């Protein structure tokens, strides 16, 4: 990946709806080579996809929580079962496995506190292998959805 590929990625992170012609102009390249580089970046997996970034509050998800999860056991079967169950919960926007304590960090969005409590009681607390859940509320997103450098 060279500097021109990085410029293409930067521009697309800022505006994923650019046409190839607009993208080529922004990175100062003619359309055909820009299109070829774009296809290569997609094929190589540097570009994983395109999507709209939706404001959670616009769809009624005004309550965001970070949930720290400690598993009782960390054997492969428990980890797999936990990760598959977490992936099936739509309100879990992001799930990361961590080194050390806790084992996982979940980013959860719901409409409000009662909805989070219901999700917590009915789904999160019942995830396979969970020993402890610790939650903290997100007061404000200071840096959110920043393009990669």
């Amino acid at each position: 990946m060279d500097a021109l590929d990085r410029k293409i990625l930067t521009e697309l992170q800022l505006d994923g709806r650019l046409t190839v012609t607009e993208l080529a102009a922004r990175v100062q390249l003619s359309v055909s080579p820009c299109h070829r580089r774009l296809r290569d970046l997609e094929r190589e997996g540097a570009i994983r996809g395109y999507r709209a970034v939706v404001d959670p509050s616009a769809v009624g998800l005004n309550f965001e929580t970070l949930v720290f999860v400690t598993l009782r056991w960390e054997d492969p079967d428990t980890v797999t079962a936990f990760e598959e169950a977490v992936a099936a919960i739509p309100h879990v926007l992001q799930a990361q496995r961590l080194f050390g304590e806790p084992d996982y960090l979940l980013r959860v969005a719901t409409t409000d506190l009662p909805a989070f409590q219901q999700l917590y009681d009915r789904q999160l607390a019942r995830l396979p292998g969970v020993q402890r859940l610790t939650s903290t509320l997100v007061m404000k997103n200071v840096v959110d959805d920043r393009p990669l450098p």
Side-chain angles (χ1 to χ4, degrees):
M1 181 172 303
D2 62 15
L4 200 48
D5 287 337
R6 290 192 183 279
K7 278 185 179 180
I8 290 170
L9 293 174
T10 297
E11 291 299 330
L12 286 175
Q13 286 180 92
L14 296 172
D15 184 355
R17 295 185 71 178
L18 289 173
T19 66
V20 176
T21 303
E22 292 168 330
L23 179 61
R26 288 191 186 187
V27 299
Q28 299 175 337
L29 194 62
S30 61
V31 174
S32 291
C34 182
H35 191 248
R36 196 168 31 255
R37 283 176 175 263
L38 182 58
R39 279 196 325 256
D40 289 345
L41 289 167
E42 291 168 345
R43 188 173 36 254
E44 293 165 3
I47 297 173
R48 296 189 309 198
Y50 300 90
R51 63 186 177 96
V53 178
V54 177
D55 181 346
S57 63
V59 293
L61 298 174
N62 299 306
F63 193 81
E64 188 172 328
T65 311
L66 299 177
V67 180
F68 301 94
V69 181
T70 301
L71 296 182
R72 188 174 298 112
W73 304 283
E74 292 187 60
D75 62 278
D77 291 339
T78 301
V79 168
T80 299
F82 173 83
E83 290 179 359
E84 288 174 356
V86 164
I89 302 172
H91 287 278
V92 175
L93 304 181
Q94 190 173 23
Q96 298 173 313
R97 187 169 183 195
L98 308 174
F99 279 108
E101 287 279 329
D103 298 310
Y104 289 87
L105 171 61
L106 311 180
R107 184 174 153 235
V108 177
T110 59
T111 55
D112 52 22
L113 178 59
F116 174 69
Q117 180 185 356
Q118 188 175 46
L119 179 74
Y120 185 99
D121 291 343
R122 293 184 181 172
Q123 291 183 279
L124 298 178
R126 296 178 183 183
L127 288 167
V130 169
Q131 177 181 356
R132 182 175 58 249
L133 298 173
T134 307
S135 303
T136 188
L137 303 180
V138 174
M139 181 186 302
K140 161 176 128 174
N141 288 313
V142 178
V143 177
D144 190 33
D145 203 38
R146 174 183 281 165
L148 297 174

